[in-house]
Amino acid sequence: MSLTDSQVKALKPGERPYKRSDSKGLFLLINPTGSKLWRHKIRFAGKEKLMSYGAYPEVGLAEARRKRDEARQVLREGLDPSLEQKKARAAAKFGVENSFEHVATEFIEKRTKEGLAPATIKKLWWFLSHLSADIGKLPVNDVSPQLVLAALNKLENSGRHESAKKTLSFAGRVFRYAVATGRAESDPASLLKDALTAPKPKHYAAILDPKKLGELLRAIDGYSGYPSTCLALKLAPHLFLRPGELRKAVWDEIDLHSDTWTIPAERMKARKPHSFSLTKQVKELLLEARDHFSPQGFVFPAYHNNTIPLSENALTQALRRLGYDSNTMTAHGFRATASSLLNESGKWNPDAIERALAHGDSSAVRGAYHRAEYWGERVQMLQWWSDHLDKLKVG
């Protein structure tokens, strides 16, 4: 006698598991824990097999009977329903694991294990967030160039052309990873290179006039803000570091005995370690920082919390307080100032200047060669630059 919905609902657990049959091999297994599991007994090739259709009430009586009837139809076609069920589950899992979002997540996790900086990993997740709504759930091999472009156009339409360009680059890396792991046949993003509006180059404002640079150096000397910010701001013109590379400096990177500073690869934009010599002026400022703060941890600790570095906008805000707006001078602009005036001096090899700026070489061999060849020149150049800054400051 077949079951009814009310009978299924009324079944209570006992001390031992027991069964209640429906029809055509379908039955309900009631466990002492209270779970009610749909089972279907079939015979294929002379062997008895048991199909599983899920738990009640997630799978109701009508759905369980539908699954039973589908299995019986498969049997009539001479196939094994249990094997077909496994194939269907595998295909469903394969579809999920081959979605663009899943492959992208796997790619980001891979890059995380490879040691990319947390800030870079955060950007990768941000790029993915702009693609997920449009192509995230699609099988990675089914994503067309037009679908990728539609997602990127949303960024373009909001005026974020640079973000669209970088998101396209990220998408391309994901597709190439999918190709390498056998889940896609091509990279549709590679066809969109000329489909986006080219972003306008971003230039950091910098003072390039020696006289005005001297005025800025005198203003910095007169700045009376938080000591950590003051010292970092005084060091910035002497060093060719990006603001983040400077403010996140730790004492373990600095050797005051050999007068060298080596920033590890994970803190550099090019993901290569960068070493440079300490000039007399730089060393004096570092000794002042060491005497003022702890000789351990961050060289430039944040206000009221020496376990974290200066904030991202600390140097920029200091420049604004000194009267220099974003169109006149930026913290990043000290690099352009040094590069421009050093090249104009004609005293130094342009490759030595590029190496001091930590601009990488396309050839690893050439890069290693330049590190060895230009170290001596860079030591002299940095000291000349610090001395030159002192002269400009005096006026």
Side-chain angles (χ1 to χ4, degrees):
M1 185 175 177
S2 299
L3 292 169
T4 63
D5 284 316
S6 58
Q7 287 175 335
V8 172
K9 187 176 181 180
L11 292 172
K12 302 297 182 185
E15 294 181 1
R16 296 180 179 180
Y18 67 95
K19 304 174 184 178
R20 284 294 180 266
S21 296
D22 181 53
S23 59
K24 301 175 184 177
L26 179 67
F27 65 88
L28 197 62
L29 175 66
I30 300 90
N31 288 309
T33 58
S35 64
K36 301 175 182 179
L37 307 176
W38 291 109
R39 297 290 185 261
H40 182 203
K41 189 183 295 184
I42 63 170
R43 292 189 70 84
F44 179 78
K47 294 182 179 179
E48 187 175 283
K49 295 189 174 185
L50 201 61
M51 302 285 290
S52 176
Y53 297 149
Y56 179 87
E58 287 80 9
V59 177
L61 178 58
E63 185 177 354
R65 287 173 175 169
R66 179 182 60 77
K67 290 176 179 288
R68 173 202 63 192
D69 293 341
E70 289 175 352
R72 287 167 59 82
Q73 178 59 38
V74 172
L75 277 171
R76 284 193 290 271
E77 295 171 359
L79 300 174
D80 181 355
S82 63
L83 179 59
E84 296 303 311
Q85 185 183 59
K86 290 178 182 178
K87 288 181 179 179
R89 288 174 179 170
K93 182 180 179 182
F94 183 81
V96 171
E97 293 184 352
N98 285 272
S99 68
F100 178 86
E101 190 171 62
H102 184 92
V103 175
T105 298
E106 190 178 303
F107 172 74
I108 295 173
E109 291 173 347
K110 172 180 174 291
R111 300 298 282 149
T112 302
K113 292 176 183 177
E114 291 171 347
L116 261 68
T120 303
I121 296 300
K122 185 177 180 181
K123 286 181 181 179
L124 297 183
W125 287 115
W126 186 81
F127 295 144
L128 177 57
S129 71
H130 289 290
L131 296 167
S132 288
D134 291 273
I135 63 174
K137 303 304 180 185
L138 297 176
V140 68
N141 198 43
D142 292 347
V143 179
S144 67
Q146 292 75 24
L147 290 172
V148 179
L149 183 60
L152 298 174
N153 281 340
K154 293 180 180 179
L155 283 169
E156 282 204 316
N157 293 339
S158 64
R160 292 179 286 178
H161 300 292
E162 183 67 27
S163 295
K165 177 184 175 183
K166 291 181 178 179
T167 303
L168 173 61
S169 175
F170 166 76
R173 281 175 280 165
V174 173
F175 285 120
R176 290 192 292 275
Y177 175 72
V179 172
T181 54
R183 288 174 285 186
E185 297 176 358
S186 62
D187 168 20
S190 64
L191 302 175
L192 300 175
K193 182 179 179 181
D194 298 322
L196 297 177
T197 303
K200 294 180 180 179
K202 181 179 181 180
H203 298 289
Y204 294 100
I207 291 175
L208 305 180
D209 178 76
K211 183 179 179 180
K212 292 181 178 179
L213 177 57
E215 294 172 356
L216 171 60
L217 294 172
R218 290 192 291 274
I220 289 174
D221 265 8
Y223 184 66
S224 58
Y226 178 57
S228 186
T229 305
C230 290
L231 289 166
L233 195 59
K234 288 179 180 179
L235 273 167
H238 294 267
L239 305 173
F240 304 163
L241 298 177
R242 298 171 181 86
E245 294 163 358
L246 175 61
R247 67 184 180 82
K248 293 180 181 178
V250 293
W251 285 110
D252 287 345
E253 300 169 354
I254 302 170
D255 189 338
L256 293 172
H257 297 290
S258 65
D259 294 339
T260 56
W261 185 337
T262 301
I263 304 177
E266 59 268 20
R267 286 223 304 114
M268 297 300 298
K269 182 178 180 180
R271 294 296 173 260
K272 296 178 181 178
H274 178 57
S275 298
F276 54 93
S277 61
L278 306 180
T279 67
K280 291 181 294 185
Q281 293 87 337
V282 168
K283 188 172 182 177
E284 288 177 4
L285 289 168
L286 288 173
L287 288 171
E288 185 179 344
R290 186 187 66 177
D291 293 340
H292 196 97
F293 303 106
S294 169
Q296 297 177 339
F298 289 106
V299 179
F300 310 109
Y303 185 61
H304 286 327
N305 188 350
N306 61 6
T307 64
I308 59 174
L310 282 174
S311 71
E312 184 175 354
N313 296 318
L315 298 184
T316 298
Q317 290 172 351
L319 288 171
R320 300 296 170 267
R321 293 190 183 100
L322 290 173
Y324 292 88
D325 61 31
S326 60
N327 295 318
T328 306
M329 188 62 186
T330 61
H332 204 288
F334 285 114
R335 287 168 55 81
T337 298
S339 176
S340 178
L341 296 185
L342 284 169
N343 276 293
E344 284 181 9
S345 74
K347 295 177 178 291
W348 315 104
N349 190 311
D351 281 338
I353 297 173
E354 288 298 291
R355 178 58 57 196
L357 290 163
H359 287 163
D361 290 292
S362 58
S363 166
V365 174
R366 185 171 184 267
Y369 174 70
H370 278 188
R371 278 193 292 275
E373 181 182 9
Y374 295 116
W375 177 258
E377 184 174 359
R378 285 170 54 201
V379 171
Q380 296 178 40
M381 180 176 68
L382 287 172
Q383 187 57 60
W384 179 89
W385 178 244
S386 282
D387 293 340
H388 186 61
L389 290 177
D390 284 350
K391 291 177 183 178
L392 293 177
K393 183 165 59 175
V394 172

